[in-house]
C-alpha cells in the first residue's frame, strides 16, 4: 500500500487541481453500500459476502527461527539478524506475512495498514503514513522489516544508526511478487523452510481461483482511486499495480488498454469514454468517500460508461487490495465473484 501512496504522490504532482494532503489509503473497511457482492467459501475463516477475511491463517506448524542469519536487503545492504523476538514490520503486507508464517506473537508494532484482526491492537508506529523512528525505537525491536518504498529514509537511517537491523523487501508490483516477498521475509526471520511452505500454499490457492475464472469475452475493468473528501479522482494506467490482479480475474485493464502509460491520471469524461470499462474496481473506503455507487456514477463520465450504466462495481478492502500477500487468493476470489457473479455469468 505504501508503494501505491508513492505512485499516487507522483501522479498528483501532474494534477495540479487535486489535493491529497488530507487523505491516506491505509486500513481495511467493509464493502461500501451499493457495491456488488458475493464471495466463495474460504478455508481460513468465515467472511462476509464479497469481502476478504479479516484474519490471516497461520501455517499449521509454527516454525522456530534459526538465527543468526545474514541476508541481502533489497536496498543492497547485507544485514545480519541475530534475534527476532521483537519484530516491527513497517507495512500491512509485511505484517500479514510474519503473522501467516506463524510468528505473529513476536510482532510488537504495526503500520496503519495492518488492520487484520490479529494485529489490530498493536501500537501504530507511523505518523501520517510515514515511519516514526522514535516510536519504533521506543519498542526496542531486534528486527525491522521495511518496504523499498518505506519512508522517510531519514527515519529508517536513524533506526539503523541505533543498531537495529533493518531488512528491506522489494515493494509489490503484482501477483508474481507474492512468493519472492514471502521468502524474503522468511529468510530474514530465520525460517526459510516455512517461507517455501507458505509460498507453495499461497501460489496453489491463487491458481485454484484462477482455474475457476469463467472463459469467454474478457470484460474491461478500470481501477479508479477515489478520495471524495479531497476531490481526488484518478484512473489507473499501466503501473497502477492493479493490472496483474485484473488480468488474473480474466479481464482487461481498461486504463492500460486505452493507452494510459502512467500509473494514475486524473479522471476525465474523455479518458473514461476511451477506456470504456464494463466494470469499475475500487477500494472500499474510496467508494464510501464518494457516497457509494450512487455517488460514483455522478463523477463526470462514469455514467456514460458500460460500467456506470450497469452500476457494475467491484469493491475490495483498502488494506488488502494491492498487498499481494498470503491473502491474495481471497482478494482475487472476491474480484472474480463480484465481477461475474456466483454462477459465473457476466
Amino acid at each position: 500500500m505504501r508503494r501505491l501512496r508513492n505512485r499516487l504522490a507522483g501522479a498528483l504532482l501532474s494534477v495540479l487541481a487535486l489535493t491529497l494532503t488530507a487523505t491516506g489509503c491505509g486500513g481495511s473497511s467493509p464493502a461500501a453500500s451499493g457495491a456488488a457482492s458475493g464471495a466463495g467459501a474460504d478455508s481460513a475463516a468465515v467472511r462476509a459476502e464479497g469481502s476478504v477475511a479479516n484474519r490471516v491463517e497461520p501455517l499449521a506448524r509454527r516454525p522456530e527461527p534459526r538465527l543468526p542469519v545474514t541476508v541481502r536487503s533489497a536496498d543492497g545492504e547485507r544485514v545480519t539478524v541475530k534475534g527476532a523476538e521483537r519484530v516491527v514490520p513497517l507495512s500491512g503486507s509485511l505484517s500479514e506475512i510474519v503473522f501467516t508464517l506463524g510468528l505473529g506473537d513476536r510482532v510488537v508494532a504495526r503500520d496503519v495498514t495492518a488492520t487484520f484482526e490479529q494485529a489490530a491492537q498493536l501500537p501504530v508506529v507511523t505518523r501520517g503514513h510515514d515511519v516514526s523512528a522514535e516510536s519504533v525505537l521506543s519498542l526496542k525491536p531486534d528486527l525491522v522489516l521495511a518496504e523499498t518504498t518505506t519512508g522517510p529514509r531519514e527515519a529508517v537511517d536513524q533506526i539503523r544508526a541505533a543498531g537495529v537491523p533493518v531488512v528491506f523487501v522489494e515493494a509489490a508490483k503484482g501477483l508474481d511478487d507474492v512468493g519472492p516477498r514471502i521468502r524474503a521475509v522468511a529468510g530474514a526471520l530465520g525460517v526459510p523452510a516455512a517461507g517455501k511452505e507458505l509460498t507453495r500454499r499461497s501460489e496453489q490457492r491463487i491458481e485454484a481461483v484462477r482455474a475457476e475464472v469463467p472463459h469467454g469475452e474478457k470484460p474491461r475493468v478500470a481501477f479508479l482511486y477515489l478520495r471524495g473528501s479531497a476531490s481526488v479522482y484518478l484512473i489507473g494506467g499501466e503501473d497502477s499495480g492493479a493490472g496483474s490482479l485484473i488480468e488474473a480475474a480474466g479481464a482487461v485493464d481498461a486504463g492500460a488498454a486505452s493507452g494510459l502509460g502512467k500509473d494514475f491520471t486524473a479522471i476525465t469524461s474523455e479518458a473514461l469514454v476511451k477506456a470504456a470499462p464494463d466494470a469499475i474496481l475500487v477500494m472500499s473506503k474510496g467508494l464510501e468517500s464518494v457516497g457509494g455507487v450512487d455517488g460514483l456514477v455522478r463523477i463526470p463520465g462514469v455514467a456514460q460508461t458500460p460500467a456506470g450504466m450497469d452500476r457494475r462495481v467491484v469493491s475490495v478492502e483498502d488494506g488488502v487490495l494491492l498487498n499481494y500477500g498470503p491473502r491474495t487468493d481471497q482478494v482475487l476470489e472476491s474480484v472474480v465473484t463480484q465481477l461475474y457473479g456466483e454462477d459465473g455469468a457476466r
Side-chain angles (χ1 to χ4, degrees):
M1 296 297 290
R2 192 178 302 279
R3 176 180 171 81
L4 174 60
R5 289 195 290 268
N6 286 357
R7 285 198 297 264
L8 289 167
L12 291 175
L13 290 175
S14 62
V15 187
L16 298 180
L18 303 179
T19 302
L20 193 55
T21 56
T23 68
C25 64
S28 63
S29 167
S33 126
S37 64
D42 172 51
S43 61
V46 176
R47 62 181 185 271
E49 192 175 16
S51 68
V52 175
N54 195 37
R55 291 182 59 83
V56 300
E57 179 189 358
L59 293 174
R61 291 174 297 180
R62 186 179 185 278
E64 188 63 35
R66 299 186 65 178
L67 301 169
V69 295
T70 299
V71 297
R72 175 74 69 178
S73 174
D75 66 341
E77 297 290 330
R78 290 187 65 81
V79 179
T80 297
V81 180
K82 298 179 180 179
E85 296 295 329
R86 300 183 62 80
V87 181
V88 176
L90 294 179
S91 79
S93 179
L94 296 178
S95 290
E96 181 178 333
I97 294 172
V98 177
F99 273 85
T100 311
L101 285 168
L103 300 176
D105 59 334
R106 296 167 180 258
V107 178
V108 296
R110 68 180 178 94
D111 175 72
V112 291
T113 60
T115 55
F116 54 91
E117 185 176 310
Q118 293 101 318
Q121 300 304 313
L122 290 170
V124 175
V125 289
T126 55
R127 182 175 55 238
H129 297 310
D130 289 327
V131 177
S132 168
E134 293 78 9
S135 296
V136 172
L137 292 173
S138 70
L139 294 168
K140 303 186 185 323
D142 50 20
L143 174 62
V144 170
L145 299 170
E147 307 262 2
T148 48
T149 49
T150 296
R153 187 54 191 255
E154 293 79 8
V156 178
D157 289 343
Q158 184 179 343
I159 295 169
R160 268 187 172 163
V164 179
V166 178
V167 176
F168 282 90
V169 177
E170 288 288 352
K173 299 178 182 178
L175 283 171
D176 290 342
D177 296 319
V178 173
R181 284 166 57 80
I182 289 173
R183 291 191 295 271
V185 171
L189 291 169
V191 291
K196 291 178 182 178
E197 181 183 350
L198 181 55
T199 294
R200 184 166 53 251
R201 188 186 85 176
S202 300
E203 292 178 345
Q204 287 175 345
R205 290 182 176 184
I206 291 170
E207 287 308 310
V209 178
R210 296 182 75 160
E212 297 300 319
V213 173
H215 296 290
E217 184 179 355
K218 296 178 180 291
R220 295 171 64 88
V221 178
F223 174 43
L224 304 187
Y225 180 82
L226 310 171
R227 283 298 179 265
S229 59
S231 299
V232 174
Y233 311 106
L234 305 174
I235 180 170
E238 290 182 6
D239 195 33
S240 71
S244 70
L245 184 66
I246 291 171
E247 291 167 6
V252 174
D253 185 338
S258 68
L260 297 178
K262 299 194 302 181
D263 41 19
F264 289 92
T265 302
I267 291 176
T268 64
S269 297
E270 294 77 11
L272 284 171
V273 167
K274 188 175 181 180
D278 299 302
I280 290 172
L281 173 64
V282 293
M283 293 180 178
S284 298
K285 291 184 74 172
L287 185 60
E288 291 170 359
S289 76
V290 298
V293 176
D294 289 340
L296 175 63
V297 297
R298 286 196 291 269
I299 296 174
V302 172
Q304 286 69 51
T305 66
M309 288 185 278
D310 293 340
R311 298 171 67 87
R312 194 176 179 192
V313 179
V314 176
S315 173
V316 179
E317 292 90 334
D318 300 43
V320 293
L321 178 57
L322 300 182
N323 263 5
Y324 295 113
R327 287 185 291 171
T328 298
D329 65 297
Q330 295 181 34
V331 175
L332 179 58
E333 182 185 43
S334 181
V335 171
V336 169
T337 303
Q338 293 181 69
L339 189 57
Y340 302 101
E342 291 285 359
D343 59 0
R346 284 190 58 193

